[in-house]
Amino acid sequence: MTVSQQKKPIRKAVFPVAGLGTRFLPATKAIPKEMLPVIDRPLIQYAVDEAREAGIEQMIFVTGRGKSALIDHFDMAFELETTLKGRDKDLSVLEPTRLQPGNLVTVRQQVPMGLGHAIWCARAIVGDEPFAIFLPDELMIGEPGCMKQMVEAYNEVGGNLISVLEVPHEEVSSYGVIAPGKSHGALTEVLGLVEKPKAEDAPSNLIISGRYILQPDVMRVLEGQEKGAGGEIQLTDAMARMIGNQPFHAVTFAGRRFDCGSKAGFVEATLTLALERDDMADEVRAIMRRLLD
Ligand code: G1P
């Protein structure tokens, strides 16, 4: 990889959104889990907003059957907008939901074979340029947002980056875990990666938290990737094979992360963000006090 390739701008992001959302059934029987709202924004909207803030132009959704609500959400809603206009209502709330044609591209993951396979499904659209990945279950709140912080780090060091955070050691087996090298500021060299290790085998308690900037070479590695943890084709395993050939860093996100893949994490995100909203904080605080008493 040449130096100029290492620092090509990040214009595209892949959102693997084909999952069945079984942990949230029955809520997710007829709507995608990424459409579940934290207050009044669906999870996918937080991720797309974070991508746009980071300068990313093209969103690539890797979807499956029953996921069309995600595409409708970012389309123009002609009837709705006409009705709202006729009633003199403010349309600005819909502004972030409009992606220009061409800025949302979808591809299907026809069989659920894991995160690595989902990313590989987007290879033709990603082409030969570095790209970002967002796992929308991980809700990242910060100023600037997580991906913007990562793009800033990328502009410094190039290569591949993943966002990491510390979790209690007993929780590492639910995640991808890094073997950390030297740190400088928010950047840590990544010496190794392992997906869902047993707690006693984990090289650290620094986990991959759902944001990535990867070189297109990962697609070629994924092409021949064997099944890993859980019998799935793991992105972590493919990334691990790139370490040593290309720069690989972890970025410790200065901000907050909510695990909206779990019900308790979802409730935590909802309560936290509600307490920060001018239009509802007082009311929600009063409700919480009453409940706790
Ligand atoms: C995926 C990744 C894992 C990462 C996690 C973050 O796991 O494979 O490396 O730590 O997302 O949420 P999953 O949650 O799909 O099992």
Side-chain angles (χ1 to χ4, degrees):
M1 184 169 56
T2 64
V3 171
S4 64
Q5 257 179 329
Q6 282 179 26
K7 299 240 184 117
K8 272 191 190 169
I10 310 300
R11 301 185 309 125
K12 301 182 179 186
V14 178
F15 300 74
V17 291
L20 295 174
T22 50
R23 274 198 268 179
F24 281 88
L25 282 170
T28 49
K29 184 179 172 191
I31 57 160
K33 73 169 170 182
E34 298 80 8
M35 285 303 293
L36 297 178
V38 174
I39 307 180
D40 50 13
R41 268 203 282 171
L43 273 181
I44 189 70
Q45 180 83 59
Y46 288 91
V48 166
D49 290 349
E50 187 189 323
R52 281 200 291 211
E53 182 207 9
I56 291 166
E57 291 154 20
Q58 188 177 64
M59 315 298 158
I60 305 166
F61 287 5
V62 181
T63 67
R65 291 163 63 83
K67 293 282 184 160
S68 48
L70 287 167
I71 296 121
D72 289 343
H73 180 75
F74 290 101
D75 197 359
M76 189 178 163
F78 184 78
E79 299 85 343
L80 176 65
E81 295 193 14
T82 312
T83 309
L84 290 178
K85 265 185 214 145
R87 293 182 192 161
D88 265 344
K89 296 264 191 215
D90 178 20
L91 289 181
S92 62
V93 73
L94 293 177
E95 198 53 48
T97 68
R98 280 205 215 93
L99 290 178
Q100 293 302 312
N103 286 350
L104 174 59
V105 181
T106 68
V107 60
R108 289 246 173 157
Q109 182 186 23
Q110 291 172 320
V111 278
M113 285 173 66
L115 177 60
H117 176 255
I119 301 305
W120 179 77
C121 289
R123 66 199 178 284
I125 309 166
V126 167
D128 192 29
E129 55 183 289
F131 63 105
I133 300 173
F134 289 76
L135 309 189
D137 273 1
E138 301 273 351
L139 176 55
M140 308 295 253
I141 303 289
E143 281 175 22
C146 184
M147 188 50 70
K148 188 156 190 208
Q149 293 182 25
M150 290 180 71
V151 167
E152 279 163 12
Y154 168 83
N155 289 337
E156 229 178 278
V157 292
N160 303 273
L161 291 121
I162 48 183
S163 70
V164 293
L165 57 91
E166 265 185 79
V167 297
H169 206 82
E170 58 277 13
E171 289 175 21
V172 292
S173 50
S174 305
Y175 299 101
V177 180
I178 74 161
K182 282 191 220 125
S183 287
H184 42 107
L187 279 171
T188 302
E189 252 179 275
V190 179
L191 303 180
L193 285 164
V194 42
E195 182 67 15
K196 301 194 174 69
K198 288 191 194 141
E200 59 270 29
D201 300 334
S204 73
N205 64 341
L206 286 171
I207 62 131
I208 307 172
S209 63
R211 301 290 183 273
Y212 311 70
I213 291 177
L214 297 177
Q215 296 298 320
D217 313 57
V218 74
M219 296 299 190
R220 286 185 283 281
V221 181
L222 280 168
E223 183 92 41
Q225 187 60 49
E226 306 272 314
K227 288 180 182 167
E232 297 190 331
I233 297 181
Q234 295 292 353
L235 179 61
T236 303
D237 296 343
M239 293 190 303
R241 286 166 63 195
M242 291 164 73
I243 297 169
N245 300 326
Q246 297 190 356
F248 223 112
H249 289 90
V251 180
T252 304
F253 170 49
R256 289 168 299 161
R257 166 259 189 179
F258 301 96
D259 175 9
C260 289
S262 89
K263 291 176 206 176
F266 211 100
V267 172
E268 183 193 1
T270 304
L271 292 176
T272 309
L273 298 193
L275 288 174
E276 289 172 6
R277 290 237 326 213
D278 293 344
D279 61 340
M280 60 194 303
D282 292 345
E283 208 179 330
V284 173
R285 189 169 296 109
I287 293 169
M288 285 168 78
R289 285 223 173 90
R290 202 170 63 230
L291 290 174
L292 291 171
D293 289 346

